[in-house]
Amino acid sequence: MRFDEEKLNPAKAAVVVVDVQNDYCHPDGACARRGEDVSAAKEMVSRLQALLAGARAHDVPVVFVQTAHEKATDSAALTARSGGRSGVVCRAGTWGAESFEVAPLPGEPVVLKHRYSGFVNTRLDSVLRTLRAETLVMAGVSTNVCVESTARHGYMLDYHIAFMGDCCAAFTQAEHDAALVNIDKYFGAVMDVDQLLGTWDSIAPRG
């Protein structure tokens, strides 16, 4: 799907960075220790850094959405998934829940979530409405789980979705590719960071 430029106007956008945290991305994190391939997350970080630099240069708000599991939100359904392995990931207050190679600047909102979608029982929608965001620029991990879940939910809350295919990562290429096909067909537009930054520059040149 293609977006018209007005939907990508920096004045109407917000970047949403999902779950770029040690347990999901670091080679010593919980997911890597249980056998998941986290190399794609490491490989995409330089492009995510370029996206964040471009967003900040264009005064596009950046919102970090992070997983924070704790006993109070450990439902039976959550802890039973994957034979209980999901419950040990991104425990609140641990190294595993800390940011991986990108981090919010002072004043940039951080929204803590306890389920795949960043909108479920969180303040994300309130933050985005306050920022007057109409288009969500989605990035993070995993492409096919928390990023896709948040993007789908955002679309159903009437946000436009610009899904940054090269600023997302999954544990397998097949999962990543399938998510991009699904998003582009039904929920938004898949694009890359150079395309987006070029559009932003054409609408509102930096400096």
Side-chain angles (χ1 to χ4, degrees):
M1 175 180 150
R2 291 183 60 85
F3 264 11
D4 62 67
E5 282 198 348
E6 186 53 31
K7 290 190 180 72
L8 295 173
N9 191 320
K12 298 180 179 181
V15 176
V16 180
V17 182
V18 179
D19 287 358
V20 184
Q21 296 166 266
N22 287 328
D23 267 348
Y24 294 124
C25 304
H26 196 287
D28 294 327
C31 289
R33 293 198 308 271
R34 73 187 189 199
E36 304 284 6
D37 181 0
V38 300
S39 60
K42 174 71 173 178
E43 193 272 332
M44 72 87 180
V45 164
S46 63
R47 295 187 294 274
L48 177 57
Q49 291 168 338
L51 171 64
L52 297 181
R56 289 159 177 160
H58 284 291
D59 295 321
V60 176
V62 177
V63 180
F64 282 78
V65 177
Q66 298 184 336
T67 295
H69 289 314
E70 56 184 314
K71 185 175 181 180
T73 56
D74 287 345
S75 69
L78 174 73
T79 54
R81 195 179 63 81
S82 303
R85 293 180 302 170
S86 296
V88 304
V89 176
C90 290
R91 302 304 294 180
T94 67
W95 169 86
E98 294 176 5
S99 297
F100 174 78
E101 297 198 9
V102 294
L105 297 182
E108 290 181 341
V110 177
V111 174
L112 300 182
K113 68 179 178 65
H114 312 291
R115 298 296 183 265
Y116 290 159
S117 169
F119 287 99
V120 172
N121 298 327
T122 75
R123 64 192 183 108
L124 180 57
D125 191 46
S126 294
V127 169
L128 293 170
R129 303 292 180 192
T130 300
L131 294 170
R132 300 180 184 272
E134 298 178 14
T135 295
L136 308 186
V137 178
M138 300 297 309
V141 296
S142 290
T143 316
N144 60 309
V145 186
C146 293
V147 189
E148 183 177 7
S149 295
T150 303
R152 285 178 175 226
H153 201 153
Y155 170 74
M156 288 181 277
L157 291 173
D158 296 322
Y159 293 100
H160 303 296
I161 301 298
F163 201 93
M164 307 306 296
D166 62 347
C167 295
C168 294
F171 297 133
T172 71
Q173 189 65 42
E175 289 171 330
H176 176 80
D177 291 343
L180 298 188
V181 170
N182 202 42
I183 288 289
D184 203 54
K185 188 171 183 179
Y186 295 109
F187 301 102
V190 173
M191 59 189 66
D192 60 41
V193 65
D194 289 340
Q195 179 185 0
L196 178 66
L197 296 182
T199 301
W200 281 350
D201 282 341
S202 70
I203 295 172
R206 306 182 212 197

